[in-house]
Amino acid sequence: MMAKPSPIPTGSTMPSVRPARLIAGLAMLASLLAPLPASADAARDMAKAAYDLPFLLDTVAGGPTVDQAGRARTAADFADDLVVVGLVTTHCPSLCVMRALDLAAVAKALPDGVRAHLRLVAISVDPADRPADLAGFADGLHLDAARWTLLATDAGQAARIRDAIGRQVHRAGDDGAEPSTNLFLFDRRGRLMQSFGGRALDRARLARDLVALDAFDAAASSPHP
């Protein structure tokens, strides 16, 4: 039985972690969690997915992907941000909603300085989801438009993302399959630093990792004497 998560930190005190060791370990763990490729091309694609935010955001046939407001979006829009990426469909009956509410709760509980650098991205893997559908999904859950970006995909991009990140893993009766519940945490340079799997999100762990990664990125970007 999974241990009950500890409460999400709500103050500004930094946890007692060693960010450099944590980040190195998380990057290695993420590579180990990736599914085995079926071909050399798939292996290259998954390497990009693991360490490159543009792989997820910048490859739609005929132009850049668009968000819930119909605006063109690329990875450059998230420069210098901590980014948590997950998959969604607007007809997802339960898990997508649960993940979105979990992430909203984590963001709300973060220290102000960390929350200011956090962006939450939900990529639809149903090509039938259009910007208006994504906007309705976000509005129905009262997601903060300043923090949340929901992205539409075409059929090719949706298939590529499912292959690289995780195929649909849960079937929910007549409502169809729900997308993978995996979440991916990228640092301010667009590199994957951690992945979170399982149906129940460990909010406390995600919050601690965000605080530690923010501190690590801040230290790495500071001028050295």
Side-chain angles (χ1 to χ4, degrees), residues 36-47:
L36 293 176
S39 66
D41 287 342
R44 283 192 294 271
D45 282 349
M46 279 185 279

Side-chain angles (χ1 to χ4, degrees), residues 6 41 57 65 84 89 97 107 127 140 151 158 163 167 179 181 188 201 224:
S6 56
D41 287 342
L57 306 184
T65 189
V84 178
T89 68
V97 172
L151 297 174
D163 286 341
R167 289 189 175 276
T181 57
R188 294 193 198 177
L201 176 64
H224 298 285

